Amino acid sequence: MTTAKTLEIKVQSSATAVGKMRNEIDVFAKFGKDVRYNLSTDEGQFHGGDSTAPPPLFYFCAGLTGCFMTQVRAFAKKMQIPIDGLKVDGLFQWRAHLSETDPYVGAPVGFDFEIAIDSPASAEDIARLVNAAKQGCFIEQTMRTVNAIGHRVTLRGEVLDL
Amino acid sequence: MTTAKTLEIKVQSSATAVGKMRNEIDVFAKFGKDVRYNLSTDEGQFHGGDSTAPPPLFYFCAGLTGCFMTQVRAFAKKMQIPIDGLKVDGLFQWRAHLSETDPYVGAPVGFDFEIAIDSPASAEDIARLVNAAKQGCFIEQTMRTVNAIGHRVTLRGEVLDL
């Protein structure tokens, strides 16, 4: 008999804008035990920052790459498909339309992985594994979905209507 | 007269799986000049890792938080709306259905920001600024869109059909 259960994943961030463009960001979760990292961001001079930390998009790209790779290895164990090596090159593209008067609107353009797997397994098993990892990766699944993002803004003690 | 132009954003990653669950990830882009960071990931013991680096989801949450905050300050300058302070608390949730036999499928549940802004500006101006930042944040815009993610897999020199 297959017994199924649900795993709830909750991550929190607490962030303060400092300096010109730097954001001091603490990220924390209860993953088995408490896990906490400072993952601050900054921008380069071209975007008005001081280059003291990685740009936000870099964290996004690392998270997406690492999430997929983690699922390949986690599911390889579960599916008993041996993996001796895994390398992934990612290319992530966006576009913005700039005007001199209005703020720009950003848009995703494309996200692509080149994946090199070293394994004695059959092509069918590796395809099955990669497809399972795509479905298991929380970030890829988020990107395949239209998500509402909540913004509750407080100004001088009052909650704003957006 | 308004002159408009398009800004193309391209970020690349190059990653190798090492150890149990660690991924050594270099992220690089030409943002004005070459920018490169090592943003490696790992998992805790509960997920078979050695806790040598932040989990992938932490990078995703930091990227999303930092992207939105950066746009608030960048657009505040452009829209001439003064901002004296900005704090953001984020809550990011996912769910997975586990079974004993199959790999799990992940799903996004909710993404919410509590935003505290310190500013002498009017509520209307702050609402206009936050709404512009939501549209300008590349990661939020990605999350509001259904994205195809390309996976090109090579095994023993052959490209696989997925």
Side-chain angles (χ1 to χ4, degrees):
Chain A
M1 202 187 87
T2 301
T3 55
K5 61 175 183 174
T6 298
L7 176 69
E8 304 284 344
I9 306 260
K10 185 165 88 169
V11 181
Q12 289 177 266
S13 68
S14 178
T16 305
V18 302
K20 291 179 198 155
M21 277 298 193
R22 183 174 164 93
N23 300 305
E24 307 267 12
I25 307 179
D26 268 327
V27 186
F28 44 98
K30 204 162 191 70
F31 283 175
K33 58 179 183 174
D34 287 332
V35 184
R36 179 179 294 265
Y37 283 94
N38 176 291
L39 295 175
S40 296
T41 71
D42 200 350
E43 297 286 344
Q45 253 190 324
F46 82 107
H47 201 2
D50 290 313
S51 300
T52 62
L57 285 179
F58 275 43
Y59 285 124
F60 174 82
C61 297
L64 175 57
T65 307
C67 187
F68 170 74
M69 294 174 77
T70 297
Q71 297 306 42
V72 169
R73 287 207 284 179
F75 288 173
K77 264 188 275 185
K78 185 149 190 167
M79 298 166 78
Q80 299 184 293
I81 297 171
I83 295 289
D84 297 325
L86 170 64
K87 291 190 182 214
V88 174
D89 288 337
L91 174 61
F92 316 97
Q93 297 179 87
W94 290 268
R95 185 173 294 139
H97 293 284
L98 307 182
S99 84
E100 287 186 1
T101 51
D102 301 314
Y104 61 75
V105 173
V109 170
F111 306 94
D112 290 285
F113 286 131
E114 290 276 340
I115 303 149
I117 292 181
D118 181 9
S119 168
S122 69
E124 291 69 26
D125 275 352
I126 295 298
R128 208 159 48 88
L129 170 61
V130 169
N131 284 322
K134 287 157 61 173
Q135 303 286 316
C137 171
F138 293 103
I139 301 176
E140 288 207 23
Q141 290 287 78
T142 301
M143 291 175 68
R144 285 195 199 96
T145 307
V146 173
N147 302 280
I149 303 164
H151 297 76
R152 188 174 178 274
V153 183
T154 310
L155 176 72
R156 297 186 290 269
E158 304 274 337
V159 176
L160 300 191
D161 282 329
L162 289 187
Chain B
M1 201 186 88
T2 301
T3 56
K5 62 176 183 175
T6 299
L7 175 69
E8 305 284 343
I9 306 260
K10 185 166 89 169
V11 181
Q12 289 177 266
S13 67
S14 178
T16 305
V18 302
K20 292 179 198 154
M21 277 298 192
R22 182 175 164 93
N23 299 304
E24 306 267 11
I25 308 179
D26 268 327
V27 186
F28 44 99
K30 206 163 189 68
F31 282 174
K33 59 180 183 172
D34 287 333
V35 184
R36 179 179 295 265
Y37 283 93
N38 176 289
L39 295 175
S40 296
T41 71
D42 201 350
E43 297 287 343
Q45 252 190 323
F46 81 108
H47 201 1
D50 291 313
S51 301
T52 62
L57 284 181
F58 275 43
Y59 285 125
F60 174 83
C61 297
L64 175 57
T65 307
C67 187
F68 171 75
M69 295 175 76
T70 296
Q71 297 307 41
V72 169
R73 287 207 284 178
F75 288 173
K77 264 188 274 185
K78 187 149 189 169
M79 298 166 78
Q80 300 184 292
I81 296 171
I83 294 289
D84 297 326
L86 171 63
K87 291 191 181 211
V88 174
D89 289 336
L91 173 61
F92 315 98
Q93 297 179 87
W94 290 268
R95 186 173 294 141
H97 293 284
L98 308 181
S99 85
E100 287 186 3
T101 50
D102 301 314
Y104 61 76
V105 173
V109 170
F111 306 95
D112 290 286
F113 286 132
E114 291 276 340
I115 302 150
I117 293 181
D118 180 10
S119 168
S122 69
E124 291 69 28
D125 275 352
I126 295 298
R128 207 158 49 88
L129 170 61
V130 170
N131 284 322
K134 287 157 62 173
Q135 304 285 316
C137 170
F138 293 104
I139 301 175
E140 288 206 23
Q141 290 288 79
T142 302
M143 291 175 67
R144 284 195 199 95
T145 307
V146 173
N147 302 279
I149 303 164
H151 297 77
R152 188 174 178 274
V153 183
T154 309
L155 175 73
R156 296 185 291 268
E158 306 273 338
V159 177
L160 300 192
D161 282 329
L162 290 188

